[in-house]
Amino acid sequence: MPKKRIAVLFGGQSSEHIVSCMSAANVIDQIDTLRYETLLIGITESGHWLKTESVEDIRSGAWRESRTEAIISPDATQKCVILTCDGQTEQIPIDAAFPILHGPYGEDGTVQGLLELAQIPYVGAGVLSSAVSMDKLYTKLIVDSIGIRQAAYVPVFVWKLRKDPDAVIRRIEEKLPYPVFIKPANAGSSRGVSKAQNRRQLQEGLEEAANHDSKILVEEAIVGHEIECAVLGGGEKPVMSSGVGEILAAAEFYDFDAKYFNEESRTVIGPELPGDSVARVKKAAEQIFNAVDGYGLARVDFFVKEDGEVIFNEINTMPGFTAISMYPMLWEAEGLSKRLLIDKLILLAFERKPR
């Protein structure tokens, strides 16, 4: 039986570019080479699509020097990648795509839309699910509709912040006590996230978040265990949730540097939590995944307070696959190796029902 060709997309134009590269290298290492061959496509931070020769080039960054452009054709009759080098063009058919892209221009429905146009099967959430899950404000509106507790919040539109910052700050202070968290609505890996203990820090945090997105969420600060749960499945496959893991951040909160570059940050698989909160986290993770029309995979994050109250934080439809990422570790704890997990995700891509 001939091998199927999988186009693996990584990098991208978001602030999570480097995390995507780290994730992709680990995923590619686990793809079954007896069943699949890979076509590696890196997307630079400026949006240039390049054919990449190897995982080693991804890890070293040498892929950015590639002279071969690689563009997925939106033409549904072609289902191919168009390679161009030194004026020579070649069309390479592909059977599926694995967009290992985090953040805007990759995890937000944009690339998923391209693959839908091309009618190429792909790993992960669809256009709608990717878009609403990437946008924390619209995720909150959906989660509100199914009655799951989440942090109180105030949405901020940057154009209003620019027009009358004092009015925006007064509205926040009327609704939320300090401390508060400030988050760009569409950034991931805690990019642009800050914590404010007073008005000055709130002003600074809003300005920083505005550098990352046109919409901002200001949320109440929740004191509790930072918990993550992995979800797998969708469509005709039953949705499964893993056990839970806890984040023990080295910093005051789990910001980008604490996640990826502070060796004192730790994750604990199967932490002791009060009462039946683990079961309630698992149930809520599955409910939220279904509510946003999830497919394939997602990591759903919560807070668990000392009294056992479970509070939803956010959902990620293409969670990290770095060496320290929780999603694959949670499934390994359930007996599902990284290789089998990647295989299941690719099979789910082929099983997705057409629109």
Side-chain angles (χ1 to χ4, degrees), residues 7-221:
V8 179
L9 311 180
F10 66 92
Q13 298 178 68
S14 84
S15 58
E16 296 179 83
H17 175 94
I18 189 62
V19 182
S20 170
C21 296
M22 295 161 63
S23 292
N26 290 331
V27 169
I28 294 160
D29 276 343
Q30 299 300 325
I31 292 177
D32 186 350
T33 56
L34 296 177
R35 302 177 65 183
Y36 306 108
E37 64 175 279
T38 56
L39 177 61
L40 310 183
I41 301 174
I43 305 170
T44 69
E45 290 177 276
S46 62
H48 197 189
W49 292 42
L50 299 170
K51 181 178 182 290
T52 306
E53 296 303 324
S54 68
V55 170
E56 291 72 28
D57 284 353
I58 296 174
R59 290 197 166 107
S60 70
W63 67 271
R64 296 180 182 87
E65 305 304 317
S66 171
R67 294 169 54 213
T68 304
E69 296 180 341
I71 300 171
I72 293 179
S73 170
D75 189 326
T77 67
Q78 295 179 339
K79 296 182 175 60
C80 74
V81 174
I82 302 171
L83 301 180
T84 305
C85 183
D86 296 331
Q88 301 296 312
T89 298
E90 181 183 7
Q91 291 188 355
I92 305 293
I94 58 173
D95 297 292
F98 199 144
I100 311 171
L101 297 163
H102 305 315
Y105 307 109
E107 195 181 351
D108 59 354
T110 48
V111 167
Q112 290 75 16
L114 168 62
L115 296 168
E116 292 277 358
L117 279 174
Q119 295 185 21
I120 295 170
Y122 58 93
V123 172
V127 175
L128 173 67
S129 180
S130 298
V132 299
S133 299
M134 186 75 237
D135 192 307
K136 295 179 179 67
L137 173 57
Y138 286 94
T139 304
K140 281 186 169 291
L141 295 174
I142 291 170
V143 173
D144 274 340
S145 75
I146 60 175
I148 291 176
R149 163 84 159 101
Q150 54 189 330
Y153 63 96
V154 175
V156 174
F157 294 89
V158 170
W159 70 268
K160 289 186 177 181
L161 180 66
R162 299 280 186 249
K163 184 178 180 180
D164 193 346
D166 290 337
V168 168
I169 289 170
R170 283 196 303 272
R171 182 165 61 90
I172 294 167
E173 290 179 330
E174 287 169 2
K175 295 188 176 182
L176 300 174
Y178 290 106
V180 295
F181 279 101
I182 305 110
K183 302 178 179 180
N186 283 280
S189 288
S190 300
R191 287 293 202 181
V193 176
S194 61
K195 185 177 182 180
Q197 302 280 359
N198 52 51
R199 176 174 285 201
R200 180 183 60 79
Q201 291 178 356
L202 175 60
Q203 290 172 325
E204 293 171 353
L206 288 169
E207 286 301 321
E208 173 58 24
N211 292 328
H212 294 265
D213 196 20
S214 61
K215 294 196 297 292
I216 301 168
L217 279 181
V218 182
E219 295 181 341
E220 69 168 315

